[in-house]
Structures are given as C-alpha cells and as structure tokens.
Amino acid sequence: MRAFTVATHHEGFLHSLQESARKYGYDLAVLGLNEKWKGFVWRWHVLQEALEDLPDDELVLVLDGYDTVITAPAACLEAEYHTKCDAADRLMFGLEHRKEHCTHAFWWLSEVFRRYHAVGADLPIVNAGVCCGPVRLVRQLCREMQAAAKAAKESKPDDQRILNTLNAQHAADETTGIRVGLLEGLHCHCERSLWGPLRHLYTNVPYIPEGPVEYEDGKVHVRVGDPGARQGAFVARAFVVHGIWCTHLGPICDALGIERPPPADLRKRKISQVDLRIFVDTFRCLFALAIVSGVVALVKRGLVDDY
C-alpha cells in the first residue's frame, strides 16, 4: 500500500515513521522534503498533486510526518478498511478522544476542544492526522480542504477544524462535505487526564503512561469501548499510533523493534496545537517571571539584612 506524508525536514518521529513503513510493507512518499513549510492547507495541495496520476480506487494511507508510527502490516489495514467499509465510499480517520480513555475532568475539558473545532454534540471530533481511503476520495478531501480554507480567509487555517466542519456539512446534507468513518486502529495517543497537558510545562515531547495501549507478541492493541455498554469493551489492533500533543512514541517503537529517532530530531519538536502552545508558553513565561521575582526579592532581603 502507498502511504503519503508531508514533511519539510527531519523532526520528531519522521525517522521512525520511515522505519515503520519499511518494516510493515508500505511504500512511503515523504512530500515537500527540503522545501519551505507553507501551512497545513499547503500540505493538502502537495498531496493532491502527488495523487493526480494514481488509480481512483487504489487504497492509500495519509499521515502526519512528525508524530505518527505505523504499527501493523499494510495488508491488515487494507483488510480492516474493506471489512468496515465494503463499498469504499468513505474516508476512515481516528477519533480524537474516546470517552472511555478519559478521566471525568478531561472529558469535560474536551468540550472546550469541541467548541474550538465547531463540532456539534451529536458528532465526534475527528483527527485529521491519519486518513485511509481510496485515492478519489482523498483527492476530493484535498480539494474541499483548500476551498474551505480560502473561504474562511484566515491567516493560518486549521485543517482539523476544516475537516470537522466538512464532516458536519455531510451529516446535515449528504450531497455536501466529506463522508467520514472512524477506525479504532487509527489510534490517537496522549494522556487524557488534566495532568496530560501539564506535562508540557517541562518538556515538548512528554512520556506518558500506557493508558489503553497494550503490547503483545510484537503487536500493539488498544482497549476500546465501555464494559458496561451493550456492545461491551474489546481490544482492537492498532494500525497507526498518532502521538497527538507531541506525545513521546519511544515506547511504541521499542515494543515493535522500530528505531527511535535521533535525539536531535526530538529536540526540534514543538507543540503544533495553537491553543496548547499558547497555554504552555504563557505558563512558562509566568513561571520564569516568578523565579526571577523570587530571586530579586531574596537579594533585596539579603541587602536589607546586611544593613
């Protein structure tokens, strides 16, 4: 299976993504390498050009470049896609947050994200970082994303916000927007407690507890569902793990025998989510200011005591 990512340079887990693609039989194309980054919407333009001459019905995988790792053979993902979508009439994405993975406080906080992404209460928050589907639908997504970004007239359009808007449009009118499905194996990995965002106060690439992720016999699984619900809980195989909020994917790489990225690549990693980055940068500045103020106060006190 072909896979595509857009990355202008080596940063974060791009090295591990390339290693995982080779390990699991993907033909990964890194688009935009050594070019200047021109925004998330530019990413969809570059991808559209790369898909131009491919067969309409060929199944492809599209991933973020710096925070994803492939965790299962291409044949497994292809089989799962056709099992969940035998008509091949939708694009499969991962769910941003599953309620069963969240603490009560974090799930309440996720409602803030719902408002930011303009997602109605009856719709899921879809993560734009990993997508699987036929070429014709990925091309359509590229066109829709670019058109919506131009219509929004924002200086820095948010592709995830646009994707969720397109999903909402289709839910309201099936002749518009993008038809989206959710695949449990496209797992968004982060710590879903209030402590999760706070880890970014001291590192841009935090290690987190395993949470719903399990390792067995060289495979990665994710616990999904509520044991008390009608369908009950089950364990799904992960095909891609997406470390949202810059979550460290080192343990995933170690479990699968995938080489970790060079330390220099991790040092370049920065938080991409604007809201979280503003929160972290503001807190770090206030913390530094508090330290400086405390030192100045101690020095002044020492000078007064000397007199």
Side-chain angles (χ1 to χ4, degrees):
M1 183 190 293
R2 296 179 203 263
F4 297 88
T5 191
V6 178
T8 57
H9 60 283
H10 277 269
E11 179 184 310
F13 283 87
L14 178 59
H15 174 81
S16 299
L17 173 59
Q18 292 174 303
E19 288 288 310
S20 66
R22 282 190 283 269
K23 179 181 178 72
Y24 291 116
Y26 285 85
D27 180 9
L28 175 66
V30 181
L31 310 174
L33 202 58
N34 299 319
E35 294 186 34
K36 182 180 178 181
W37 176 257
K38 300 171 187 173
F40 284 110
V41 179
W42 166 77
R43 161 199 178 191
W44 296 100
H45 172 72
V46 171
L47 177 60
Q48 182 181 354
E49 289 185 333
L51 298 173
E52 202 63 43
D53 298 325
L54 296 185
D56 286 352
D57 295 324
E58 180 177 341
L59 199 66
V60 295
L61 176 66
V62 181
L63 318 92
D64 280 358
Y66 300 138
D67 53 10
T68 60
V69 172
I70 295 169
T71 55
C76 294
L77 175 56
E78 188 167 359
E80 182 73 1
Y81 176 86
H82 289 300
T83 298
K84 293 290 180 70
C85 183
D86 58 351
D89 61 351
R90 71 194 68 187
L91 294 173
M92 291 295 191
F93 292 86
L95 188 61
E96 180 88 349
H97 301 295
R98 292 186 176 277
K99 188 173 184 178
E100 65 269 25
H101 296 168
C102 303
T103 63
H104 292 296
F106 187 91
W107 184 249
W108 175 84
L109 180 62
S110 72
E111 292 304 302
V112 176
F113 311 145
R114 181 178 296 278
R115 289 180 178 276
Y116 172 74
H117 293 300
V119 179
D122 58 333
L123 291 174
I125 302 177
V126 180
N127 183 275
V130 182
C131 167
C132 178
V135 165
R136 70 180 187 281
L137 296 183
V138 180
R139 284 201 212 105
Q140 180 190 352
L141 175 64
C142 292
R143 292 192 297 269
E144 296 273 4
M145 294 286 272
Q146 293 173 78
K150 290 178 181 178
K153 297 180 180 179
E154 297 177 358
S155 58
K156 293 183 178 180
D158 184 323
D159 61 344
Q160 183 153 308
R161 196 173 189 179
I162 293 172
L163 172 63
N164 279 280
T165 300
L166 293 173
N167 184 34
Q169 288 175 358
H170 183 82
D173 180 357
E174 292 190 359
T175 64
T176 63
I178 295 290
R179 190 173 188 188
V180 166
L182 297 173
L183 209 57
E184 295 88 357
L186 305 180
H187 175 59
C188 295
H189 194 44
C190 73
E191 184 175 3
R192 292 176 171 89
S193 71
L194 293 183
W195 178 241
L198 295 177
R199 290 183 187 275
H200 289 274
L201 300 179
Y202 59 85
T203 176
N204 281 349
V205 190
Y207 282 96
I208 66 167
E210 291 179 359
V213 172
E214 299 177 351
Y215 309 110
E216 184 180 2
D217 299 328
K219 299 176 183 177
V220 179
H221 294 90
V222 181
R223 295 190 303 276
V224 177
D226 182 355
R230 179 180 298 178
Q231 287 185 319
F234 62 97
V235 177
R237 184 166 186 183
F239 307 111
V240 177
V241 174
H242 180 193
I244 63 175
W245 294 4
C246 294
T247 294
H248 205 299
L249 298 177
I252 305 285
C253 295
D254 295 344
L256 298 176
I258 297 167
E259 190 174 273
R260 290 191 180 202
D265 286 2
L266 290 181
R267 285 195 293 270
K268 298 175 188 175
R269 193 76 185 107
K270 294 181 180 179
I271 303 166
S272 59
Q273 289 84 353
V274 176
D275 48 352
L276 184 57
R277 188 171 65 241
I278 291 173
F279 164 73
V280 169
D281 289 346
T282 301
F283 190 93
R284 286 176 178 174
C285 288
L286 291 174
F287 184 75
L289 183 60
I291 293 293
V292 171
S293 299
V295 170
V296 170
L298 287 173
V299 170
K300 286 183 176 179
R301 182 174 179 178
L303 292 174
V304 169
D305 290 344
D306 288 342
Y307 283 107

